[in-house]
Amino acid sequence: MTGDPAVDLTVTGAPIRLCLLGGFRLLKSGRQVRVRPGSKTQVLLGHLGLHVRSGIPRDELTDLMWPSAAVELANQSLNTLVYSLHRLLGDAMAGHHPVLRDSGIYRLNVQAGIAVDVLEFDAAVDRGDRHAGDGDGESAIRFYGGAAQLYAGDLSLGSDVQQVVERERLRARYLHTRSRLADHEFARGRYVAALDHALDVLANDPCREDAHRMAMRSYVRLGERSQALRQYRMCRKILEQEFEAVPEPETEALFERVRLDPSHV
């Protein structure tokens, strides 16, 4: 991000970091732990990382990970896996167990030092939204910038319905933050940065008309009126192909200003 420094929202000094955005990564004392893709360890940590607050009942975990196994064998396999995680990570957590079980509910031991990037990202966006709602735009932008830095990429754990829904939810929040950052940079006269944010939004969702409009305005302010007109044509073509729809009146009005009176864009 160009301009104001972003807030660092990672948990300072967390001995274990579980990163699920942009691919699975597990870090122990700052060094990446090798976890085989698709392994039971990755599946367990990934699902627990997405249910930090609620945890997951044992039956759901065993059905997910050992759907064809007998109940007793599946429970034994889960106990073995949880113990292996303690052996792998417990020394960095002062002997605390990384996975806790309470009344049949399994959850990550965040109180003892496990940080999860999804949790940090959501917290950053929430704080940005609260500051924006309170009229504190500068603080809001700092937290939105921190959230954007935390978002290393889409959630990519699996393709079941629950994870697809969560991936889309997180992506929508990310695009929300980038749009807010684009508005801020444009208002500050930092048109290159505003354009970068707008184009990143469009790379993730080409149908976002607000991002097309921001790109058009930024191009005009950068002296690239012809590119702004091309951006409009691109927007119109994408909407027609995807939805058989036409641009919103606001987009059409902006196009007319770019075409006839760019000095007022």
Side-chain angles (χ1 to χ4, degrees):
M1 171 186 166
T2 302
D4 297 334
V7 175
D8 182 3
L9 288 149
T10 57
V11 177
T12 303
I16 305 297
R17 285 193 58 78
L18 176 60
C19 302
L20 305 177
L21 296 170
F24 181 95
R25 298 176 308 285
L26 179 65
L27 291 89
K28 174 181 174 181
S29 301
R31 302 185 65 178
Q32 186 160 344
V33 178
R34 188 170 185 177
V35 177
R36 184 171 57 84
S39 65
K40 298 299 185 185
T41 297
Q42 185 185 84
V43 173
L44 176 63
L45 287 174
H47 278 80
L48 291 177
L50 293 180
H51 297 83
V52 173
R53 295 183 179 88
S54 63
I56 305 178
R58 178 176 60 192
D59 292 348
E60 286 187 22
L61 281 176
T62 54
D63 287 346
L64 171 73
M65 301 177 70
W66 298 279
S68 301
V71 172
E72 183 177 348
L73 181 58
N75 289 341
Q76 181 180 348
S77 297
L78 180 58
N79 291 339
T80 300
L81 182 57
V82 168
Y83 178 70
S84 70
L85 279 172
H86 176 58
R87 293 187 62 185
L88 178 65
L89 305 175
D91 60 325
M93 302 176 63
H96 294 290
H97 288 265
V99 178
L100 302 176
R101 182 182 66 184
D102 181 21
S103 301
I105 303 294
Y106 288 74
R107 56 172 46 87
L108 293 177
N109 193 356
V110 294
Q111 290 79 12
I114 296 183
V116 183
D117 64 346
V118 170
L119 194 65
E120 293 171 337
F121 170 78
D122 271 332
V125 180
D126 288 342
R127 293 183 72 176
D129 287 345
R130 282 198 298 271
H131 282 297
D134 292 338
D136 185 358
E138 291 299 318
S139 294
I141 288 303
R142 285 171 40 240
F143 282 102
Y144 287 143
Q149 288 188 351
L150 284 166
Y151 197 91
D154 288 344
L155 186 71
S156 57
L157 286 177
S159 57
D160 62 73
V161 172
Q162 187 178 35
Q163 291 190 14
V164 169
V165 170
E166 181 67 358
R167 180 168 64 244
E168 292 306 310
R169 182 190 73 82
L170 291 166
R171 179 188 292 162
R173 299 205 85 189
Y174 170 68
L175 298 181
H176 163 73
T177 66
R178 293 301 292 258
S179 293
R180 290 295 187 94
L181 290 167
D183 291 340
H184 174 75
E185 298 291 5
F186 188 87
R188 290 291 191 86
R190 298 194 283 248
Y191 305 122
V192 171
L195 179 61
D196 286 344
H197 287 302
L199 294 180
D200 183 80
V201 171
L202 292 171
N204 285 274
D205 184 356
C207 298
R208 286 279 296 254
E209 283 194 61
D210 59 335
H212 282 288
R213 290 192 294 267
M214 175 56 69
M216 290 169 66
R217 291 197 297 269
S218 297
Y219 279 128
V220 170
R221 294 295 180 93
L222 291 169
E224 301 180 34
R225 175 172 170 269
S226 61
Q227 190 60 44
L229 296 171
R230 292 189 187 96
Q231 189 73 42
Y232 166 80
R233 285 198 290 269
M234 183 191 306
C235 173
R236 189 175 186 88
K237 183 176 181 180
I238 289 170
L239 291 174
E240 182 179 0
Q241 290 179 340
E242 291 292 322
F243 304 118
E244 297 184 355
V246 297
E248 298 169 353
E250 186 178 352
T251 306
E252 296 285 10
L254 176 59
F255 166 68
E256 290 300 323
R257 289 200 303 275
V258 173
R259 188 172 68 89
L260 301 173
D261 192 10
S263 62
H264 286 83
V265 171

